[in-house]
Amino acid sequence: MEKRLRLAPSPTGLLHIGTARTALFNWLYAKNTNGKFLIRIEDTDIVRSKSEFTTNILDGLNWLGLNWDEEPIKQSQRISIHKEYIKKLLEIGAAYRCFTSEDEIHELREKQKANGLPPRHDNRHRNLTSKEIKEFISQGRSSVIRFKIDEEAEIKWEDQIRGEIKWQGKDLGGDLVLSRRTLGDEIGDPLYNLAVVVDDNFMNITHVVRGEDHISNTAKQILIYRALNFKLPIFSHTPLILNSEGKKLSKRDSVTSIDEFKEMGYLPEALANYMAFLGWSIKNPENEILSLSEISKIFNLSDVNKAGAKFNWDKLNWINSQYIKKMELKELNQFIKKYWNDMGWKSPSKEWDLKLTNLIQDSMILLRDAIDQSKPFFCLSQMQKEGTDFLENKKEAKESLQYIVDYLKEENISKVTSNKAREIISKISINHSIKKGILMKSLRVAFFGCLSGPDLIQSWELFSEKKSDIYLIKRCLT
Ligand code: GLU
């Protein structure tokens, strides 16, 4: 039978790393088994759901390469169907109308707290007569629909990640609210646990893969599946993503939304590759740089760990740098060019663009690094202390630069290619008995204002094409 998996995000915020990782595991398993990956937008919380968030979630999944196989379903369009099922549960006696007021619930909680008991509803209206119900309604009392949780029930399932999980009905907090509070004999808007069961059944979902924070919901949902006589899907609960302190990764951990990763300069392929290893691992990892399609061939939910997965920035950065290294120059340049355009930096030619891209490619970790690394080729680098110290204290430093200026003039050289640069350095070194190292360091200071930077020979070619090399050298001679 075809496996059908789904992501069911609530559009109450931007696409978060946790949801994206859940999406990824669903997607990988669907691909691995030749199944389908579907999306259901759980937008029934009218106050907190926003269409911008739906767009952001879908765009983010697309960006990561997690394509879906059928038109996404909006839960809000299925409310009347959910209500039909609540009616059905009322009819078969599996649910009932409960009039306990907010104040009464508060009072009950306070008592339980005082006695050191966990919060649970006392099911006080489970057996109201129809006369009592009418009376409550006519008194203007509002009500919710509650699903009867059998205290004696044992709920067991074989979780694909965690193995057997067992829950007792008595540990589920009493009868479960299925719908929001209403007046009269209306059925209020359906709540998560009911809607999710009805929709997963409707979408023929065979495998539910979601965060471990849903484990107790699964126990409740299994009871609803049983009451409605629906076929149970196979459940898997993924581990949480933890921060460096071992706590659940949250908005407080600076970066959590997928947009922010994009903004910081992570490539979608690298982030997706890294996310796959957040909780999942391969037995003999020879190579952890794998495309989603490669991972999908070896991915299995049973290899996902139970323990929380620590978010490791160093590993993510390393993976990102590997992807940047492997990129086609032209493709990488397109990303880099966007930054240059944003900065208002103009380059002399397309060829030059590719040369500079090539020069910085291997030292980039994030795409954004292109800004700092290409800046010296567009803007005058400030002289740093190590640069001035070198020019002032190293005997032949300024002399070398003067020789270079003279040589360029005498030989009438206006364009210094890499080959030419090597030749010039060699010749001056021989003619004036100056170590090549000194010549190169002096030039480096002229170009970059300090003693570090990218390959000097290639850099010279780039400065020369921009006609700024002579100016940069001369600024050190005054
Ligand atoms: N809307 C729920 C959430 O975002 C879905 C959980 C589920 O997959 O059932 O947590």
Side-chain angles (χ1 to χ4, degrees):
M1 201 176 71
E2 180 187 70
K3 296 194 169 48
R4 289 172 64 85
L5 290 99
R6 72 356 175 229
L7 179 78
S10 305
T12 52
L14 300 172
L15 178 62
H16 175 272
I17 180 95
T19 309
R21 201 272 316 253
T22 302
L24 176 62
F25 283 3
N26 274 281
W27 186 94
L28 287 169
Y29 191 63
K31 293 288 157 209
N32 177 269
T33 55
N34 247 330
K36 294 254 152 66
F37 170 62
L38 314 174
I39 293 190
R40 180 175 66 242
I41 301 292
E42 302 211 318
D43 56 347
T44 48
D45 182 340
I46 337 167
V47 184
R48 291 172 60 225
S49 297
K50 295 214 163 66
S51 65
E52 303 89 276
F53 293 139
T54 300
T55 310
N56 176 273
I57 292 167
L58 296 179
D59 286 353
L61 294 173
N62 238 327
W63 181 71
L64 287 165
L66 305 178
N67 53 314
W68 47 94
D69 296 304
E70 290 172 13
E71 191 56 29
I73 285 194
K74 284 201 172 164
Q75 195 161 56
S76 58
Q77 287 170 359
R78 296 182 35 80
I79 292 179
S80 58
I81 298 165
H82 304 142
K83 288 189 182 175
E84 287 303 316
Y85 279 99
I86 297 182
K87 257 191 215 149
K88 190 167 170 191
L89 290 169
L90 284 168
E91 276 160 23
I92 61 173
Y96 63 93
R97 200 171 276 284
C98 168
F99 295 87
T100 323
S101 68
E102 305 272 15
D103 286 347
E104 286 164 340
I105 289 176
H106 181 74
E107 206 177 295
L108 177 66
R109 295 257 152 92
E110 289 303 305
K111 257 195 213 148
Q112 287 164 339
K113 232 195 255 167
N115 293 320
L117 296 167
R120 59 179 289 114
H121 195 259
D122 57 6
N123 309 343
R124 63 182 72 171
H125 291 162
R126 233 195 210 197
N127 298 310
L128 293 180
T129 62
S130 45
K131 193 168 159 242
E132 285 168 319
I133 294 178
K134 271 194 196 127
E135 263 172 34
F136 273 138
I137 293 180
S138 63
Q139 284 164 16
R141 282 185 77 142
S142 61
S143 61
V144 298
I145 308 294
R146 278 186 194 267
F147 176 73
K148 291 181 186 166
I149 301 271
D150 177 4
E151 308 264 300
E152 305 299 317
E154 181 173 82
I155 307 131
K156 240 194 332 198
W157 72 92
E158 195 56 34
D159 194 285
Q160 275 188 297
I161 296 176
R162 283 151 209 276
E164 186 180 90
I165 299 188
K166 255 195 225 167
W167 273 79
Q168 306 303 323
K170 64 176 174 36
D171 297 328
L172 290 176
D175 290 346
L176 175 72
V177 181
L178 296 181
S179 66
R180 284 187 211 283
R181 205 166 266 285
T182 43
L183 286 169
D185 58 1
E186 295 274 297
I187 291 179
D189 283 342
L191 294 174
Y192 164 72
N193 279 306
L194 181 279
V196 90
V197 170
V198 170
D199 290 347
D200 280 341
N201 178 70
F202 166 75
M203 291 165 75
N204 292 317
I205 298 303
T206 58
H207 291 69
V208 170
V209 180
R210 59 187 167 203
E212 66 174 285
D213 42 336
H214 283 289
I215 291 182
S216 67
N217 283 329
T218 298
K220 294 170 189 165
Q221 288 170 23
I222 287 177
L223 293 177
I224 302 178
Y225 272 96
R226 284 185 195 162
L228 288 172
N229 225 348
F230 286 165
K231 190 170 177 335
L232 274 180
I234 293 174
F235 292 98
S236 309
H237 292 89
T238 58
L240 292 178
I241 303 179
L242 309 174
N243 64 15
S244 53
E245 288 150 29
K247 300 213 176 83
K248 185 178 169 181
L249 195 75
S250 75
K251 291 204 178 83
R252 263 161 279 135
D253 293 299
S254 66
V255 179
T256 53
S257 92
I258 295 301
D259 273 357
E260 286 168 288
F261 285 97
K262 185 175 177 184
E263 180 63 24
M264 285 170 72
Y266 289 98
L267 284 163
E269 298 83 358
L271 183 57
N273 186 162
Y274 172 68
M275 283 194 315
F277 288 105
L278 271 176
W280 172 78
S281 48
I282 14 179
K283 305 244 154 59
N284 302 308
E286 278 164 25
N287 178 15
E288 289 192 320
I289 303 298
L290 296 167
S291 69
L292 285 189
S293 134
E294 286 167 324
I295 297 174
S296 75
K297 295 201 177 85
I298 50 173
F299 182 83
N300 202 327
L301 286 168
S302 53
D303 293 330
V304 173
N305 306 321
K306 288 181 229 167
K310 257 197 191 167
F311 196 90
N312 182 336
W313 286 99
D314 291 339
K315 183 161 178 185
L316 170 62
N317 287 342
W318 179 78
I319 291 181
N320 205 58
S321 71
Q322 298 304 306
Y323 275 85
I324 292 181
K325 277 194 184 61
K326 278 201 317 192
M327 256 174 132
E328 287 285 329
L329 269 192
K330 276 200 179 140
E331 196 193 349
L332 178 57
N333 182 246
Q334 276 171 6
F335 284 104
I336 293 183
K337 250 243 59 178
K338 280 201 200 103
Y339 293 120
W340 293 350
N341 290 339
D342 291 348
M343 303 300 290
W345 293 344
K346 302 260 179 300
S347 68
S349 68
K350 284 213 170 89
E351 234 194 335
W352 188 91
D353 293 352
L354 295 183
K355 283 187 206 161
L356 177 50
T357 303
N358 180 47
L359 180 67
I360 61 177
Q361 181 171 27
D362 282 356
S363 48
M364 286 170 66
I365 290 173
L366 302 173
L367 291 172
R368 253 192 174 278
D369 292 343
I371 302 179
D372 280 348
Q373 297 193 12
S374 38
K375 192 174 178 189
F377 297 89
F378 295 98
C379 312
L380 182 69
S381 296
Q382 289 300 319
M383 200 48 79
Q384 292 176 25
K385 188 170 178 310
E386 65 171 14
T388 353
D389 285 354
F390 183 80
L391 290 180
E392 298 308 326
N393 304 333
K394 197 79 196 169
K395 211 171 103 255
E396 302 111 318
K398 282 193 177 175
E399 254 172 58
S400 334
L401 293 176
Q402 186 61 56
Y403 292 141
I404 292 171
V405 175
D406 296 344
Y407 188 88
L408 292 176
K409 203 169 169 196
E410 278 156 26
E411 301 286 320
N412 203 11
I413 302 169
S414 57
K415 195 167 171 227
V416 182
T417 59
S418 293
N419 281 340
K420 199 78 196 158
R422 271 185 224 106
E423 185 190 310
I424 298 170
I425 290 170
S426 273
K427 288 228 165 109
I428 298 180
S429 156
I430 295 167
N431 295 350
H432 300 278
S433 308
I434 295 179
K435 283 196 187 118
K436 276 190 192 169
I438 305 233
L439 272 161
M440 292 180 61
K441 274 190 185 160
S442 312
L443 267 177
R444 193 176 279 293
V445 170
F447 294 156
F448 301 106
C450 61
L451 292 167
S452 56
D455 182 88
L456 184 84
I457 300 292
Q458 291 176 51
S459 299
W460 194 354
E461 178 169 325
L462 289 166
F463 283 114
S464 168
E465 275 176 47
K466 261 205 132 205
K467 300 192 173 28
S468 51
D469 54 338
I470 303 280
Y471 169 78
L472 291 170
I473 299 173
K474 281 190 176 162
R475 73 166 168 158
C476 302
L477 299 175
T478 49

